[in-house]
Amino acid sequence: MQIFHFNNGEPPRILPPDAPLPETGLIWADFLRDEAEGWECWAEPVVGVAIEPQHVSDSMNPYHPSFFDGTSEYDMLVFQGLGPNDDPFPVETRTAAFFLFRRVLITVRAEDNVSFHVVQQRIRDGRMRSAESVLSLAHAVLDVMVDRYLKVREPMEQRFSVLQDELLDPDSRMSDWRALLRGRRVARQMEALAESQLEALDSWRRNSFLDCSPHDEVKIRDLVEHVNRVLNHASGQERDIEAAVQLHFAIATGRTNRIVQFLTVLSAIFFPLTLITGIYGMNFEHIPWAGARYGFEAMLLFLLVMGLALLYIFRKRRYL
């Protein structure tokens, strides 16, 4: 557990876990989920509020989706962020629980939650000098969590662009359909994550027991706008993949149709020629012109003229 104290614009302080908490200023108590068993026993005497057992259980669930629930004495926001890897293939998530009281913020999260490390490093480096409210503290972490989704858009878009180029390249034989399915799955996961985040943020904004200042309202709307950008990007990538797949099969169908058409025209050209040669190849005693001096040459010339005539007709009608 780490405890940070923010007091009236002074530089934040890191307090020992067993130190008495100051009576003024804002307190941020950060718990690691693997070590947070029974964290409510520490928190309830500090905040003077009984925490719902179901909320405690939700905070210890590392796979809980984004969700908001609150009481008349505190807010609980569960928010899913990305895992420690910057590559979204596959999508890894880390769930963090935020408990907001009047002057105390309690978080329960995974040890490798990168967003918390970023914010706490800013505090240690003096880049985060103060916090106006508990909601501002929570926003500082949530903003980093959402911005990490924006950072993975470029590698995600590059991967999808490669898949689309392979699908639409006429000289490429697309065979790695599993990669395409993984890409679609990633886009849908990102879309589902963004939708649950939007629902949680909207419910938090409308039902929070805290008195949100206009500045806090702007911060929450900024979070919602960033999540909407992630949602729109994921939805757009999924639509692009679907369109590329449809174009791929349309191109393949058109190529197949041209081949079938070409073979059909060739069959139509050679069918009468084959018929004539078949007739004259029959083993009859009397066949017209079979005994003529130039019958063989005349037949070859006739077949050549008929083949060229049929070829001319088909080309004129653009069947070839």
Side-chain angles (χ1 to χ4, degrees):
M1 177 181 66
Q2 294 191 82
I3 302 176
F4 299 88
H5 177 225
F6 301 82
N7 187 32
N8 298 327
E10 298 177 0
R13 295 188 300 149
I14 301 177
L15 304 178
D18 55 351
L21 298 182
E23 297 183 357
T24 61
L26 303 176
I27 302 296
W28 175 18
D30 181 37
F31 290 87
L32 300 181
R33 185 173 287 111
D34 294 338
E35 306 170 356
E37 190 68 33
W39 66 266
E40 71 279 7
C41 298
W42 176 91
E44 289 179 351
V46 172
V47 299
V49 173
I51 301 174
E52 291 290 335
Q54 184 59 50
H55 291 170
V56 176
S57 177
D58 291 341
S59 70
M60 299 300 292
N61 183 359
Y63 306 106
H64 202 293
S66 298
F67 172 74
F68 170 80
D69 193 14
T71 69
S72 59
E73 297 175 310
Y74 68 89
D75 290 344
M76 183 199 73
L77 177 67
V78 178
F79 205 80
Q80 273 190 313
L82 288 178
N85 296 325
D86 292 332
D87 188 355
F89 294 85
V91 175
E92 294 182 357
T93 59
R94 295 293 184 271
T95 298
F98 297 78
F99 290 83
L100 293 86
F101 301 88
R102 290 293 181 185
R103 56 181 291 265
V104 177
L105 170 66
I106 297 176
T107 56
V108 183
R109 47 94 176 182
E111 183 177 2
D112 58 350
N113 195 314
V114 177
S115 302
F116 282 79
H117 295 312
V118 171
V119 175
Q120 291 174 6
Q121 189 61 44
R122 290 176 182 174
I123 294 175
R124 295 187 182 93
D125 295 343
R127 288 178 290 166
M128 184 175 173
R129 308 259 334 150
S130 63
E132 300 174 358
S133 63
V134 171
L135 194 147
S136 297
L137 279 175
H139 173 269
V141 181
L142 292 170
D143 187 54
V144 178
M145 295 178 74
V146 173
D147 283 347
R148 291 202 67 236
Y149 281 92
L150 298 177
K151 290 180 180 178
V152 303
R153 291 186 305 172
E154 183 175 351
M156 182 177 174
E157 187 169 355
Q158 290 177 352
R159 186 75 63 89
F160 284 150
S161 297
V162 170
L163 292 175
Q164 292 172 28
D165 290 342
E166 290 183 3
L167 280 172
L168 300 179
D169 186 358
D171 298 327
S172 174
R173 294 183 178 181
M174 178 66 181
S175 59
D176 193 3
W177 291 98
R178 290 185 178 180
L180 180 64
L181 293 176
R182 285 194 297 268
R184 291 178 59 187
R185 191 180 302 117
V186 166
R188 290 179 179 177
Q189 286 178 324
M190 296 285 284
E191 189 175 0
L193 286 170
E195 288 175 349
S196 64
Q197 289 174 350
L198 285 176
E199 292 176 1
L201 290 174
D202 182 66
S203 181
W204 182 34
R205 181 179 60 83
R206 290 185 290 105
N207 302 312
S208 175
F209 92 106
L210 296 170
D211 297 326
C212 295
S213 66
H215 186 57
D216 292 332
E217 287 282 353
V218 171
K219 290 181 177 180
I220 295 178
R221 286 199 299 269
D222 181 67
L223 285 176
V224 171
E225 191 271 334
H226 284 187
V227 176
N228 269 318
R229 286 165 58 188
V230 175
L231 175 62
N232 293 334
H233 182 265
S235 301
Q237 291 297 328
E238 186 177 359
R239 288 193 300 269
D240 289 346
I241 287 291
E242 292 288 347
V245 170
Q246 293 178 7
L247 285 173
H248 170 76
F249 284 111
I251 293 172
T253 301
R255 188 183 300 119
T256 302
N257 290 339
R258 288 194 297 271
I259 294 173
V260 172
Q261 181 178 347
F262 178 76
L263 295 176
T264 302
V265 170
L266 287 181
S267 300
I269 292 174
F270 283 97
F271 174 76
L273 307 183
T274 305
L275 177 62
I276 294 173
T277 55
I279 293 174
Y280 276 86
M282 293 180 179
N283 190 19
F284 289 105
E285 184 177 354
H286 299 288
I287 297 178
W289 304 324
R293 178 178 178 81
Y294 298 104
F296 177 74
E297 292 80 359
M299 182 58 63
L300 287 180
L301 180 61
F302 175 73
L303 293 177
L304 178 62
V305 171
M306 177 178 288
L308 292 176
L310 291 173
L311 180 63
Y312 172 76
I313 293 173
F314 283 122
R315 288 184 62 88
K316 186 175 183 181
R317 296 190 178 184
R318 297 183 179 179
Y319 292 146
L320 283 175

